[in-house]
């Protein structure tokens, strides 16, 4: 994290501490005092004109954090130079303001950490907290910090107890606030049975390592490191402190008298040396200008120092200023990746759940479709059975109609035979009438011949005339009967013809129904075709008999014979007139 972000975290605590009413706003007079103190601890030249101009009393009411940020950025943070001020003094100013309001140690003096240790823990919390407000430290970072402190005291942290505590403690924004963290440390739950001095030493060590970027320093139980001088080439015991860019050494562990420093860069290297000059566990640090030889108390200390110096050189080569900033970023990236994997896993689980639900829904739909298919098959079978029954009923109906048509045809044929017999009788009668007419003509001729001998056969002639008149009446009567019979025959013929047409229509309708049945029901084609052949044969026979009937029922005209009869009467008329005149 950059310097501006680090400073803003501490200033945020100072601003919220001045917000007595927790309204998110601070009075202008308090902000003036805060700004003046920030100028002082950050070693920035004071600008009283800008301060008075920005906070002039031209309006009423306090200023919110958003209203204070433009001034803070422009006149304070933009002018801060890294290394130009002591950051610990800046942090102490902000801690003093916020601790008065929020930090509540045990009044009986039973707190695990002192006020100064609480300040250092507050600085560590700010360093490890998330870059969003309000500031919180996620459980992973809480565990990391407590493990660092416990490791410095050679104590193992009870992770299960920590998890239980974090699960019971209400967490806002996904983590603990600094005051919850300090209360947890002061409760002694995780540092049970450890003296306050040991806790202070551990907190100091972690503070120097994390906040002051001290990668390594000699620890009192293991003694100091021995350093070989450059001019007199003698060995001196020194207290060494390693930071990413420099290896400093002091007269004592109080670090009050600094004897020198070794500037580290990417061109430096560290090597292990063989024992000589009565010194053991030797190693050296080579820079571009000289080589520094040192001796550790044991092999373990030498290995720790060489690894730590190599780590510092690696950081310089990678352009990184702080090991713990890099480690924090890596832990944050790991948490983000873990959260992403967790989110991806939850998303995958949700997706699998949705797929399972979709699968179950599909299976239910499939079962419904199968049930619908079974119902459809049942309905189809019922429909097929119904259509089959309809076809069978239609077939039986057609067979009945065909039988009726056959019976009608047979009755029509019988009728036609009767009509033919009747017509034959009529022809015979006509022949008899013609024969009678011929006999009548012969009788008329005989009468003419008899009139010639009228005088002799008058009485015979009169008798013959009477007979002739009687015959004539009978003949006329027969002629009228013949005409009436002919008219009756014509009427019967028309009725018969109308019946034949109706029968033909019935036969044609039956044939059309038969054709439709043949299309819808192919499995009964043979029977239907046989019925159609019979129907066509019947139709052919009916037409043939219609033609024959038309020929037979054509009315017979008397023709010349009728004329001859009229002529006979005309020839007979003079004889009657002659008879009448003779009688007179």
């Amino acid at each position: 994290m950059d310097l501006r972000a680090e400073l803003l975290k501490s200033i945020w605590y100072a601003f919220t501490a001045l917000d007595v009413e927790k309204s998110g706003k601070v009075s202008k007079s308090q902000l003036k005092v805060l700004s003046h103190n920030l100028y002082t601890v950050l070693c920035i030249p004071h600008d009283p004109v800008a301060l008075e101009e920005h906070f002039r009393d031209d309006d009423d009411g306090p200023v919110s954090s958003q209203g204070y940020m433009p001034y803070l950025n422009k006149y304070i943070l933009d002018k801060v130079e890294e290394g130009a001020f002591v950051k610990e003094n800046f942090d102490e100013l902000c801690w003093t303001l916020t601790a008065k309001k929020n930090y509540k140690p045990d009044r009986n003096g039973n707190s695990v950490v002192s006020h100064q240790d609480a300040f250092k823990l507050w600085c560590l919390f700010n360093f490890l907290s998330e870059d969003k407000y309000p500031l919180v430290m996620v459980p992973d970072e809480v565990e990391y910090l407590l493990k660092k402190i416990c490791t410095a005291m050679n104590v193992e942290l009870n992770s299960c107890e920590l998890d239980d505590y974090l699960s019971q403690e209400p967490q806002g924004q996904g983590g603990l606030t600094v005051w919850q963290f300090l209360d947890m440390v002061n409760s002694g739950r995780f540092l049970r049975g450890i003296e306050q001095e040991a806790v202070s030493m551990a907190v100091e060590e972690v503070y120097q390592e994390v906040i002051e970027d001290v990668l390594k320093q000699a620890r009192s139980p293991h003694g100091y490191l021995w350093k070989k001088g450059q001019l007199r080439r003698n060995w001196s015991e020194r207290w060494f402190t390693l930071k990413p860019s420099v290896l400093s050494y002091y007269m004592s562990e109080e670090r009050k008298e600094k004897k020198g420093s070794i500037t580290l860069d990417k061109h430096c290297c560290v090597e292990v040396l063989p024992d000589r000059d009565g010194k053991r566990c030797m190693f050296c640090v080579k820079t571009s200008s000289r080589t520094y030889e040192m001796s550790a108390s044991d092999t373990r200390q030498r290995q720790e120092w060489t690894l730590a110096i190599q780590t510092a050189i690696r950081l310089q080569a990678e352009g990184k200023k702080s090991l713990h900033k890099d480690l924090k970023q890596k832990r944050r990236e790991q948490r983000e990746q873990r959260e992403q994997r967790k989110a991806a896993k939850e998303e995958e689980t949700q997706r699998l759940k949705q797929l399972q639900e979709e699968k179950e829904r599909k299976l239910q739909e499939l079962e419904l479709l199968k049930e619908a298919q079974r119902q459809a098959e049942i309905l189809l079978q019922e429909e097929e059975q119904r259509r089959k029954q309809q076809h069978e009923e239609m077939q039986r109906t057609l067979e009945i109609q065909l039988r009726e048509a056959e019976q009608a045809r047979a009755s029509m044929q019988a009728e036609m035979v009767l009509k033919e017999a009747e017509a034959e009788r009529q022809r015979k009668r006509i022949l008899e009438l013609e024969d009678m007419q011929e006999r009548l003509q012969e009788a008329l001729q005989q009468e003419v011949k008899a009139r010639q001998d009228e005088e002799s056969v008058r009485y015979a002639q009169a008798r013959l005339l009477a007979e002739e008149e009687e015959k004539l009446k009978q003949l006329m009567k027969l002629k009228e009967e013949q005409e009436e019979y002919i008219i009756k025959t014509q009427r019967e013929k028309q009725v018969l013809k109308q019946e034949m047409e109706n029968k033909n229509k019935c036969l044609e309708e039956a044939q059309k129904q038969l054709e439709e049945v043949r299309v819808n029901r192919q499995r009964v084609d043979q029977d239907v075709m046989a019925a159609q052949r019979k129907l066509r044969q019947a139709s052919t026979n009916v037409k043939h008999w219609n033609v024959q009937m038309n020929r037979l029922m054509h009315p017979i005209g008397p023709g010349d014979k009728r004329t001859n009869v009229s002529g006979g009467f005309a020839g007979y008329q003079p004889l009657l007139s002659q008879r009448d005149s003779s009688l007179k």
Side-chain angles (χ1 to χ4, degrees), residues 446-463:
Q446 292 176 1
E447 186 178 0
V448 171
K449 186 177 180 180
R451 278 186 177 275
Q452 291 176 0
D453 198 7
E454 184 180 0
E455 290 295 332
S456 59
V457 287
R458 179 185 303 178
Y459 294 106
Q461 188 179 14
R463 184 175 52 85

Side-chain angles (χ1 to χ4, degrees), residues 249-305:
Y249 46 95
Y250 303 85
M251 283 293 295
S252 64
E253 58 183 296
E254 284 80 11
R255 295 187 298 176
K256 293 182 179 179
E257 184 181 353
K258 186 176 181 179
K259 301 299 292 183
S261 61
I262 303 172
T263 303
L264 301 176
D265 56 30
K266 62 181 180 180
H267 302 292
C268 298
C269 65
V270 59
E271 295 180 359
V272 177
L273 300 177
D275 298 343
R276 66 173 184 271
D277 299 335
K279 297 297 179 183
R280 53 190 297 272
C281 302
M282 294 180 60
F283 65 95
C284 67
V285 177
K286 293 182 178 181
T287 66
S288 57
S289 59
R290 61 172 287 190
T291 301
Y292 298 88
E293 295 182 5
M294 284 160 278
S295 173
S297 59
D298 53 32
T299 305
R300 179 183 175 186
Q301 285 293 316
R302 179 178 67 179
Q303 184 178 4
E304 290 179 356
W305 275 103

Side-chain angles (χ1 to χ4, degrees), residues 489-521:
T489 304
Q490 288 178 352
R491 289 178 181 174
E492 292 177 354
K493 179 182 177 183
Q494 289 179 356
V495 172
L496 183 60
K497 186 177 181 181
Q498 184 66 31
E499 291 178 357
M500 290 295 292
E501 290 177 355
N502 293 334
K503 295 296 183 180
N504 288 332
K505 289 181 181 180
C506 292
L507 289 174
E508 289 176 358
E509 290 177 357
Q511 186 176 3
K512 289 180 182 179
Q513 293 177 358
L514 191 60
E515 288 293 335
E516 292 177 355
V517 171
R518 184 183 61 184
V519 174
N520 294 329
R521 186 67 176 178

Side-chain angles (χ1 to χ4, degrees), residues 105-114 186 196:
D106 192 342
R107 296 180 180 179
N108 298 324
N110 297 325
S111 298
V112 176
V113 295
S114 63
N186 279 324
Q196 187 177 16

